């Protein structure tokens, strides 16, 4: 149950060990202050709170609790002390102690900054050695860390007041979380430039501190405000084509499921082709049968190995023996989940010659970050493609709802660096389809469904996502799967998200 607290003029929401929505009146200043323990695969370990004490006063508060972790082969214990003072100062102290040997990528405090009133605004960074750097929060999504070596961060949002964060206990830096469709910037400990994972020994201790408050220093006048993306990039609202993914963890469509899905007038059925699987033809045959029965074309996400031309020839030969239409094809490397210029230069001429009319896409089957960090010659493709999950960093309901605002940010940046190419988002899932680089193919084919997808929460989230992407001008979207636990229907059960897609499709005609 959340607690709403005051630290002088600031209103704060405290919930499950973390501070959220540090706000002054109606203006959100900080989105969240929390800690995270992430293992070698970047998975966040779950923790249990003990001995929680909340002291609440009219204009101040103090929170103290113990915590322990026994998750992901990590055993740790520690405490957190949070103080909100009457002058508005908020201090968070974090302590942790390892109880076993394990490997970590990150341990410690993180601070999230909202997007509203921050994009393009000036900031000043003081590093541990005293050097001062002045810059702006990125307008378009920065593929790498916008601010490094942070001991003190001062920033001046659109509200005009200069705020300050002071960090100790480690070296901090900031990343642009819009790369993962999080609607925030994150300041975190342990620079990504350092090797990881890092071995942690039993009895090793960690102590960090962050202090937030009104800055006594001004931001230099020479740092100008930069225009926000929607004022720089031209776009028009669209009616995206809506498709679904193939179910690979269960039986094909039943007659009941087929009758229901036909009511949606879907645009396509996405199927993944992994040549490293000996049974790729079986999976593709199943997808073709479902697409034929639905009366829709295929969208193929094709993952190539070391002999892409030969693999493409095998795929074309296989499809020639089946009565199916392929509307679009996304070209990826199996190992990186991204497109490269080399892959495009090898395959696009063959596709243009042998498969005229096919829409060819490039980008990534991974998060937008992988596209943003691996740009290609987009003149070689017809559209830009990437996937979306709102739960790359956290999966609580509040975070997932917040991150809808991050989706159109990716579209604006993609349109900018691709010189206006159409955007296909494929797929969108609530739960990430994979957690590691190794074994990622199997993880995708056997990805667990997020149970919220079949609830009213999942339907409302999808409705908001669809509205945001329609407004920003996306051409095509693949949501979830056709049927089963990750689908729109299961047997004669119609999930609430089905109704969302049906309402949209009815409105689109």
């Amino acid at each position: 149950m959340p607690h709403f607290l005051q630290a002088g003029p600031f209103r704060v929401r405290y919930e499950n060990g973390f501070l959220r929505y540090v706000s002054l009146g109606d203006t959100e200043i900080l989105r969240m202050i929390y800690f995270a323990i992430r293992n070698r695969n970047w998975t966040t370990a779950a923790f249990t709170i003990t001995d929680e004490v909340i002291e609440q006063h009219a204009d101040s508060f103090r929170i103290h609790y113990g915590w322990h972790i026994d998750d992901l082969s990590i055993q740790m214990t520690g405490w957190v002390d949070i103080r909100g003072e009457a002058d508005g100062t908020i201090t968070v102290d974090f302590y942790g102690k390892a109880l076993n040997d394990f490997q970590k990528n990150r341990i410690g405090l993180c601070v999230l900054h909202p997007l509203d009133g921050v994009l393009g605004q000036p900031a000043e960074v003081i590093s541990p050695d005293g050097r001062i750097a002045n810059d702006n929060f990125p307008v378009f999504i920065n593929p790498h860390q916008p601010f490094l070596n942070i001991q003190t961060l001062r920033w001046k949002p659109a509200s005009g007041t200069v705020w300050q964060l002071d960090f100790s206990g480690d070296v901090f830096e900031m990343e642009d979380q819009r790369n993962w469709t999080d609607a925030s910037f994150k300041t975190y400990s342990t620079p990504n430039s350092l090797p990881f994972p890092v071995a942690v020994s039993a009895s090793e201790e960690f102590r960090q501190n962050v202090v937030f408050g009104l800055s006594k220093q001004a931001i230099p006048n020479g740092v100008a405000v930069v225009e926000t993306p929607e004022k720089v990039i031209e776009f028009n609202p669209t009616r995206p084509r809506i498709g679904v993914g193939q179910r690979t963890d269960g039986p094909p469509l039943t007659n009941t499921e087929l009758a229901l899905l036909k009511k949606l007038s879907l645009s396509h059925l996405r199927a993944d082709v992994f040549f490293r699987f000996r049974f790729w033809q079986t999976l593709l045959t199943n997808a073709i049968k479902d697409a034929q029965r639905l009366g829709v074309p295929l969208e193929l996400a094709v993952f190539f190995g070391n002999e892409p031309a030969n693999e493409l020839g095998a795929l074309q030969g296989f499809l020639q023996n089946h009565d199916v239409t392929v509307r679009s094809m996304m070209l990826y490397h199996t190992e990186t989940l991204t497109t490269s210029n080399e892959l495009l230069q090898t395959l696009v001429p063959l596709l243009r010659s042998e498969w005229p009319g096919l829409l060819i896409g490039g980008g990534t089957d991974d998060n937008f970050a992988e596209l943003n960090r691996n740009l290609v010659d987009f003149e070689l493709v017809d559209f830009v493609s990437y996937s979306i999950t709102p739960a790359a960093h956290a999966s609580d309901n509040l975070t997932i709802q917040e991150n809808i605002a991050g989706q159109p940010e990716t579209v604006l940046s993609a349109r900018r660096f691709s010189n206006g190419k159409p955007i296909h988002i494929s797929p969108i899932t609530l739960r990430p389809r994979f957690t590691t680089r190794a074994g990622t193919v199997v993880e995708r084919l056997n990805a667990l469904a997020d149970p919220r997808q079949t609830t009213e929460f999942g339907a409302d989230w999808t409705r908001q996502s669809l509205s945001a992407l329609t407004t920003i001008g996306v051409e095509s979207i693949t949501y979830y799967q056709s049927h089963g636990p990750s689908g729109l229907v299961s047997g004669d059960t119609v999930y609430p998200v089905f109704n969302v897609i049906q309402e949209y499709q009815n409105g689109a005609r």
Side-chain angles (χ1 to χ4, degrees):
M1 181 176 180
H3 295 263
F4 295 95
L5 310 170
Q6 289 289 141
F10 297 110
R11 181 173 173 83
V12 182
R13 175 176 175 143
Y14 170 75
E15 188 173 11
N16 299 325
F18 302 150
L19 296 183
R20 305 186 81 127
Y21 310 131
V22 178
S23 301
L24 182 63
D26 295 331
T27 302
E28 182 184 1
I29 309 300
L30 294 178
R31 172 140 296 180
M32 197 172 182
I33 304 177
Y34 66 105
F35 74 89
I37 315 296
R38 307 195 72 182
N39 73 355
R40 63 173 295 124
N41 294 324
W42 293 106
T43 304
T44 302
F47 67 92
T48 300
I49 292 176
T50 61
D51 304 320
E52 184 181 49
V53 177
I54 302 174
E55 300 175 6
Q56 183 175 356
H57 306 284
D59 58 359
S60 64
F61 65 87
R62 183 179 181 184
I63 301 166
H64 187 92
Y65 62 85
W67 57 269
H68 66 265
I69 289 175
D70 189 0
D71 186 35
L72 305 176
S73 300
I74 295 174
Q75 295 178 355
M76 288 191 72
T77 188
W79 52 260
V80 170
D81 191 79
I82 307 172
R83 298 180 302 282
E85 308 293 350
D87 65 357
T89 302
I90 297 174
T91 303
V92 180
D93 282 304
F94 165 84
Y95 170 79
K97 182 178 181 179
L99 301 179
N100 70 327
D101 297 340
F102 59 88
Q103 289 189 316
K104 63 96 173 176
N105 284 351
R106 181 168 300 152
I107 291 178
L109 292 171
C110 302
V111 178
L112 300 187
H113 307 254
L115 302 181
D116 287 347
V118 173
L119 296 181
Q121 295 297 126
E124 182 177 70
V125 172
I126 302 176
S127 63
D129 62 7
R131 286 181 294 176
I132 299 176
N134 292 287
D135 207 337
N136 298 79
F137 278 84
V139 170
F140 294 98
I141 303 175
N142 195 317
H144 304 291
Q145 285 68 20
F147 303 135
L148 301 170
N149 300 320
I150 304 172
Q151 179 173 286
T152 295
L153 172 67
R154 298 189 186 104
W155 74 104
K156 184 180 181 180
S159 61
T161 304
V162 179
W163 306 109
Q164 181 167 317
L165 284 163
D166 293 292
F167 301 91
S168 63
D170 203 340
V171 177
F172 286 73
E173 63 186 24
M174 182 185 292
E175 69 184 7
D176 193 334
Q177 290 210 126
R178 293 176 294 173
N179 278 297
W180 297 270
T181 66
D182 292 55
S184 59
F185 296 94
K186 178 171 69 178
T187 305
Y188 58 89
S189 62
T190 311
N192 281 348
S193 59
L194 298 178
F196 59 86
V198 175
V200 175
S201 301
S203 299
E204 189 171 346
E205 297 178 302
F206 301 84
R207 182 79 182 263
Q208 294 178 11
N209 170 276
V210 60
V211 180
F212 163 77
L214 179 67
S215 177
K216 298 179 181 179
Q217 303 292 325
I219 297 291
N221 293 327
V223 183
V225 176
V226 180
E227 292 285 6
T228 52
E230 60 272 18
K231 294 182 179 180
V232 178
I233 294 294
E234 293 185 4
F235 63 90
N236 295 305
T238 55
R239 302 297 300 188
R241 296 193 300 269
I242 304 299
V244 292
Q246 175 195 9
R247 180 181 182 182
T248 57
D249 66 341
L253 287 167
T254 65
N255 290 334
T256 300
E257 293 165 336
L258 176 66
L260 289 168
L261 290 174
K262 277 192 169 183
K263 296 179 181 179
L264 298 182
S265 300
L266 295 169
S267 164
H268 61 269
L269 178 72
R270 166 177 162 146
D272 293 357
V273 178
F274 293 100
F275 293 111
R276 68 161 52 175
F277 277 174
R278 295 179 180 178
F279 53 88
W280 68 265
Q281 294 178 332
T282 300
L283 293 174
L284 185 52
T285 298
N286 294 338
I288 290 171
K289 291 178 180 178
D290 279 353
Q292 289 171 332
R293 297 181 69 202
L294 285 168
V296 301
L298 284 177
E299 172 187 77
L300 294 182
V302 187
F303 298 82
F304 294 92
N306 296 326
E307 300 180 351
N310 292 337
E311 291 167 337
L312 178 61
L315 175 62
Q316 290 177 311
F318 177 81
L319 289 172
Q320 286 174 356
N321 297 321
H322 295 80
D323 182 21
V324 65
T325 300
V326 179
R327 167 179 282 166
S328 56
M329 182 182 297
M330 299 170 290
L331 312 178
Y332 302 129
H333 289 286
T334 298
E335 295 301 327
T336 65
L337 311 177
T338 61
T339 308
S340 69
N341 282 331
E342 180 183 13
L343 188 67
L344 294 178
Q345 291 162 0
T346 300
L347 298 182
V348 169
L350 298 175
L351 288 169
R352 299 290 189 213
S353 172
E354 302 293 331
W355 216 325
L358 176 72
L359 295 175
I360 301 172
T364 181
D365 191 54
D366 206 334
N367 296 295
F368 180 82
E370 300 308 313
L371 169 62
N372 205 15
R373 295 169 178 173
N374 297 278
L375 301 182
V376 297
D377 181 0
F378 292 104
E379 292 302 312
L380 295 173
V381 299
D382 300 305
F383 63 91
V384 179
S385 57
Y386 55 95
S387 69
I388 282 179
T389 172
H393 293 116
S395 60
D396 60 280
N397 287 356
L398 279 176
T399 297
I400 285 180
Q401 288 282 12
E402 292 166 359
N403 289 350
I404 290 170
Q407 296 182 21
E409 292 288 327
T410 63
V411 177
L412 290 170
S413 287
R415 184 171 284 115
R416 177 175 180 256
F417 60 57
S418 68
N419 197 26
K421 288 287 183 177
I423 307 298
H424 291 205
I425 300 179
S426 179
I428 294 180
T429 60
L430 284 182
R431 173 177 283 176
R433 292 170 294 144
F434 58 98
T435 56
T436 65
R437 288 288 184 189
T440 185
V441 173
V442 175
E443 289 177 355
R444 276 165 169 69
L445 293 178
N446 299 289
L448 296 175
D450 190 311
R452 291 169 294 188
Q453 185 185 312
T454 61
T455 68
E456 290 293 343
F457 175 89
D460 183 62
W461 186 91
T462 305
R463 184 180 292 108
Q464 293 183 57
S465 166
L466 186 51
S467 175
L469 295 174
T470 296
T471 301
I472 209 69
V474 169
E475 183 174 277
S476 175
I477 310 173
T478 303
Y479 277 109
Y480 315 123
Q481 293 181 0
S482 55
H483 61 295
S486 296
L488 309 184
V489 299
S490 184
D492 59 1
T493 300
V494 176
Y495 297 132
V497 68
F498 175 96
N499 299 322
V500 172
I501 303 299
Q502 186 173 46
E503 291 168 5
Y504 169 81
Q505 295 289 62
N506 288 341
R509 289 196 290 271

